[in-house]
Amino acid sequence: MQLTASRQTEQSIDKRETPVWSTTIHWLRGNALAVAALTTWIMTIAGLLLDHVAGIDGPMLILFYAIAYVSGGTLAFRSAIRDLLSRTINVDLLMVTAAIGAATIDAWAEGALLLALFSTSNALEHAALDKTRSAIRSLMTFAPSTAIRIDHEGDHEVHISGLAVGDIVRARPGDRVAVDGRVVTGISDVDQAAITGESIPVEKVPGSETFAGTMNGSGSLTIRVTRLSNESTLARIVRLVEDARESKSRIERATDRLEGPYTIGVIVLSIVAGMFFLLFGDSPSSAYYRAMTVLVVASPCALVIATPAASLSALANAARHGVLIKGGGYLDQLGRVEIVALDKTGTLTTGRPEVVDVVRFGSMDEATLLANVAAVERSSEHPIAEAIVRAADLRELPRLETAAFESITGKGVTGTVNGSRLSLGNERLLSNFGIEVPADVQTTVDDHRSLGRTTMFVEVDGEIVGMIAVADAIRPEAKSMIASLHAAGVRRIVMLTGDNERVAQAVARQTGINEVHAGLLPTEKLDLVRELKTSGMVVMVGDGVNDAPALAMADVGVAMGAAGSDVALETADAVLMGDDLGRLPDVLRLGQRTRRIIRGNLIFAVGIIAVLTLTSLTFGLALPLGVLGHEGSTIIVLLSGLRLLRGSMGSTPSESGETVGRTTAPADLIPQHS
């Protein structure tokens, strides 16, 4: 009761220290653009209802529109003034000027709608960019902040910033490795998929290289530091993500250069038109009226909504089908993709080892062999052991008891099942027992290894009775996805992986990929993506921390959702939330369709603006007709964009007629052998 009371006291203190009003203000500051856009829409709609439904006019109506002007135009006005002070003119100035001009000729609704659309577009753009800001902070959580340093006085826990090159540190079983270095003593399996992308834990022996942030297995290692903490592979990944993201932002900002000339052109055109009308006989009020009409009809309301209407509809369609795309700009790039770069582990494959073959060499039948091996492996926490146990459970094999279990680091495991000693491991384990591998058995093992599989001998009482082959299973939809990419117009498909060449080539043969780059570190993946970008628009698909720099550098980075690391998800521009790789061709087709609709919308919007503007200049278009034409074009453009909400994102069946996304049980991958 004392503890409960104490916690309640702490919670009440926290509540007093963080008042509701303070939290509310903090939330409003963080969502200022969204709040401004929402307020503008509410006030604008309320004004329209008062005017056209309730028939209310006068100060009350003006009050609603004035609030809409303030909420929708304040941020744009501040941006316009700030840019003017730095001698830059942007579209914000035109929006504010057009809205004020509309108000001066009593077209309040037109100005309010213009600001509502503009503020909404601005809020959505900033929301998409803010999604990636936590990526850098997330990266560093992979590396521990402390390490166990060994010196003449023994073991001491120190902060990693206090380590120097040449120091010796200890990595205990189950710990994350704290430093980049080389193993001095010890043998262990280290899961370094987060850094190198290798699917199977890598054996570390004296002289092996280690990376900060990787997970040590069952053995204890002493490691000599070769890089300071701020120069580790993980730290370099952080900097690469930052640099690549900044580089992409600069390219995206280049499109804003058109804002200045358009804004200046419209403002100058309105001023010149007003002076022209005044010089050729119009009264000052009439000339001003016609100049403001030009400014209103030339304001890019339809242009502003042309891209967001299509993009948001496509984004909603994609989200409904399990694909998160972090901005409309990426849809345009997806529609122009010529090159697709694919990570292997966790992307083309499931990212976890599975039993793909059980071979028996003796009289023991396959089910009994797998059940006996699983009995021993149930006492192990190795990923391969988990795969074997999972395969046995999927076959619903009986659970046998085991005794005298022993894990021999770097060699395998042994235990007693039904009174017989059973061992599972590599050639070094067999040599411990003085057992030689027969030539025919070695040939079978070599055949499996040529396919990139990890093989383990099964020994019972001095006799090799079987072999277990384990591999990172290829996603069932991977092969049909590659064919669909080619059908969607992709001319080049490349595999980029940190895994070894043999494994990579085996996966490439089974999926139909012709170009493979294996054994890559994150920096090398990034360099290859940068090189690929010189040949065309590049999409990079990955799932791990090691893919983050390449994802950021690519024109569009696509992350696998369920299996992807937090960093990959934050860094990527699109996420396949259901881990359905078959959605990738659908996304490209959606991008192509979105580009066609946006192009048509823009041509139509520009054409209408040109016609209305020329009519205003030559025939003195009445403002109500100008508003009707202007708003009519906006509605048409909006409805055109909303077409992307209808139907499926793309075809789900593969080119071969198989169902994309079908999952195959690991047990189905185990053929029957005699």
Side-chain angles (χ1 to χ4, degrees):
M1 292 295 294
Q2 249 183 340
L3 181 60
T4 303
S6 175
R7 286 178 178 168
Q8 290 175 343
T9 302
E10 290 176 2
Q11 291 173 357
S12 64
I13 291 173
D14 289 341
K15 289 180 181 178
R16 287 198 302 270
E17 291 177 348
T18 311
V20 174
W21 63 267
S22 178
T23 304
T24 303
I25 290 176
H26 179 75
W27 184 87
L28 289 173
R29 286 176 177 173
N31 298 274
L33 289 169
V35 171
L38 180 61
T39 303
T40 306
W41 277 112
I42 292 173
M43 293 296 104
T44 300
I45 293 171
L48 290 171
L49 291 174
L50 286 175
D51 189 10
H52 298 287
V53 177
I56 297 175
D57 200 354
M60 179 62 70
L61 181 62
I62 300 301
L63 176 62
F64 277 91
Y65 284 138
I67 296 174
Y69 269 59
V70 171
S71 59
T74 299
L75 294 176
F77 179 76
R78 288 170 57 186
S79 173
I81 294 300
R82 184 172 59 249
D83 284 357
L84 278 175
L85 293 176
S86 61
R87 298 182 180 180
T88 303
I89 295 177
N90 61 20
V91 76
D92 290 341
L93 178 63
L94 181 57
M95 290 293 178
V96 173
T97 304
I100 293 174
T104 60
I105 54 177
D106 206 26
W108 287 87
E110 166 69 6
L113 283 170
L114 187 63
L115 291 174
L117 291 166
F118 186 66
S119 60
T120 301
S121 176
N122 207 23
L124 292 170
E125 178 186 353
H126 281 77
L129 293 176
D130 288 344
K131 289 291 292 182
T132 61
R133 290 185 178 176
S134 62
I136 306 304
R137 293 190 298 272
S138 300
L139 276 170
M140 292 311 297
T141 62
F142 279 87
S145 58
T146 61
I148 300 175
R149 183 171 59 192
I150 305 173
D151 56 26
H152 63 279
E153 295 180 354
D155 293 3
H156 305 280
E157 187 172 9
V158 299
H159 195 273
I160 58 171
S161 61
L163 294 173
V165 173
D167 283 351
I168 305 296
V169 300
R170 187 184 305 281
R172 297 171 299 193
D175 282 354
R176 282 201 179 273
V177 177
V179 297
D180 279 17
R182 292 197 177 276
V183 176
V184 178
T185 62
I187 300 175
S188 185
D189 291 324
V190 176
D191 181 358
Q192 52 187 40
I195 302 298
T196 67
E198 291 166 289
S199 54
I200 302 294
V202 178
E203 183 183 45
K204 298 296 181 181
V205 297
S208 298
E209 188 176 11
T210 64
F211 302 102
T214 55
M215 181 65 73
N216 188 25
S218 58
S220 179
L221 301 174
T222 59
I223 303 169
R224 186 183 306 278
V225 179
T226 58
R227 295 191 190 97
L228 299 177
S229 60
N230 62 347
E231 291 297 329
S232 68
T233 302
L234 187 61
R236 291 203 302 272
I237 291 175
V238 173
R239 289 195 294 272
L240 289 170
V241 172
E242 289 175 331
D243 294 344
R245 179 58 63 188
E246 279 300 309
S247 175
K248 180 178 288 187
S249 297
R250 286 194 296 270
I251 294 173
E252 290 168 354
R253 286 196 297 268
T255 59
D256 296 338
R257 294 171 185 169
L258 294 176
E259 291 183 7
Y262 186 91
T263 303
I264 294 172
V266 172
I267 293 174
V268 170
L269 177 63
S270 300
I271 295 173
V272 171
M275 295 175 63
F276 179 84
F277 298 141
L278 187 62
L279 288 174
F280 282 85
D282 281 11
S283 65
S285 60
S286 175
Y288 180 74
Y289 177 91
R290 294 183 66 181
M292 285 299 98
T293 302
V294 171
L295 187 65
V296 170
V297 298
S299 65
C301 192
L303 285 174
V304 167
I305 200 63
T307 299
S311 296
L312 291 176
S313 299
L315 294 177
N317 193 339
R320 192 168 66 241
H321 291 88
V323 180
L324 172 64
I325 303 174
K326 298 183 179 180
Y330 302 119
L331 273 169
D332 176 73
Q333 292 172 312
L334 285 165
R336 295 185 287 128
V337 167
E338 299 177 80
I339 303 169
V340 173
L342 296 157
D343 174 48
K344 181 186 73 67
T345 305
T347 302
L348 288 167
T349 66
T350 60
R352 69 176 186 178
E354 302 285 359
V355 173
V356 294
D357 207 352
V358 176
V359 183
R360 60 188 183 90
F361 300 122
S363 59
M364 186 181 298
D365 66 83
E366 184 178 321
T368 302
L369 175 64
L370 185 58
N372 278 266
V373 172
V376 175
E377 290 287 31
R378 289 186 194 280
S379 301
S380 172
E381 296 180 353
H382 195 282
I384 290 179
E386 294 176 1
I388 293 172
V389 171
R390 190 163 53 246
D393 289 344
L394 283 169
R395 285 190 170 193
E396 299 183 348
L397 299 178
R399 294 195 171 201
L400 306 177
E401 297 294 327
T402 185
F405 172 81
E406 182 183 1
S407 176
I408 305 172
T409 302
K411 298 180 181 180
V413 296
T414 183
T416 301
V417 183
N418 293 329
S420 298
R421 185 198 71 195
L422 183 146
S423 302
L424 179 74
N426 54 28
E427 288 90 335
R428 282 180 292 178
L429 180 65
L430 296 180
S431 66
N432 276 11
F433 304 121
I435 301 173
E436 293 186 3
V437 181
D440 58 334
V441 173
Q442 189 63 55
T443 299
T444 302
V445 170
D446 291 342
D447 289 343
H448 280 279
R449 288 176 177 172
S450 68
L451 296 174
R453 298 171 177 175
T454 299
T455 57
M456 292 150 292
F457 297 96
V458 182
E459 175 268 337
V460 177
D461 292 336
E463 178 188 358
I464 300 176
V465 299
M467 180 204 74
I468 305 290
V470 175
D472 185 8
I474 297 174
R475 293 182 185 272
E477 72 272 21
K479 185 174 182 179
S480 60
M481 182 274 300
I482 298 298
S484 295
L485 285 178
H486 286 300
V490 176
R491 60 178 175 81
R492 188 176 175 189
I493 300 175
V494 185
M495 181 196 297
L496 307 180
T497 178
D499 218 335
N500 64 70
E501 182 75 23
R502 185 178 61 188
V503 174
Q505 290 293 347
V507 173
R509 285 194 299 271
Q510 296 176 70
T511 55
I513 298 176
N514 296 322
E515 186 174 349
V516 177
H517 298 272
L520 303 176
L521 289 174
T523 53
E524 295 168 321
K525 281 189 177 183
L526 181 140
D527 290 339
L528 277 168
V529 170
R530 184 186 288 116
E531 181 181 337
L532 290 171
K533 287 176 67 175
T534 62
S535 302
M537 188 71 68
V538 177
V539 163
M540 171 68 193
V541 187
D543 75 304
V545 176
N546 60 302
D547 300 318
L551 289 171
M553 175 54 69
D555 294 297
V556 183
V558 178
M560 301 298 292
S565 69
D566 290 340
V567 177
L569 301 188
E570 292 293 341
T571 306
D573 307 308
V575 182
L576 306 179
M577 298 303 295
D579 259 6
D580 185 356
L581 195 59
R583 288 297 183 191
L584 183 60
D586 296 340
V587 172
L588 300 190
R589 293 190 187 98
L590 180 66
Q592 293 166 357
R593 187 180 170 205
T594 304
R595 286 193 73 234
R596 289 195 297 269
I597 289 179
I598 289 176
R599 189 187 306 117
N601 284 351
L602 291 174
I603 292 172
F604 177 78
V606 170
I608 290 296
I609 289 174
V611 169
L612 292 176
T613 303
L614 288 174
T615 304
S616 298
L617 291 172
T618 56
F619 298 106
L621 181 69
L623 181 58
L625 291 178
V627 171
L628 179 62
H630 191 265
E631 290 306 309
S633 67
T634 302
I635 292 173
I636 292 173
V637 166
L638 179 62
L639 293 176
S640 175
L642 292 178
R643 287 184 295 158
L644 288 164
L645 280 174
R646 299 199 308 266
S648 62
M649 182 178 63
S651 58
T652 48
S654 67
E655 297 296 319
S656 61
E658 297 173 350
T659 301
V660 172
R662 179 183 63 85
T663 56
T664 303
D668 296 338
L669 299 175
I670 306 175
Q672 302 297 315
H673 280 267
S674 60

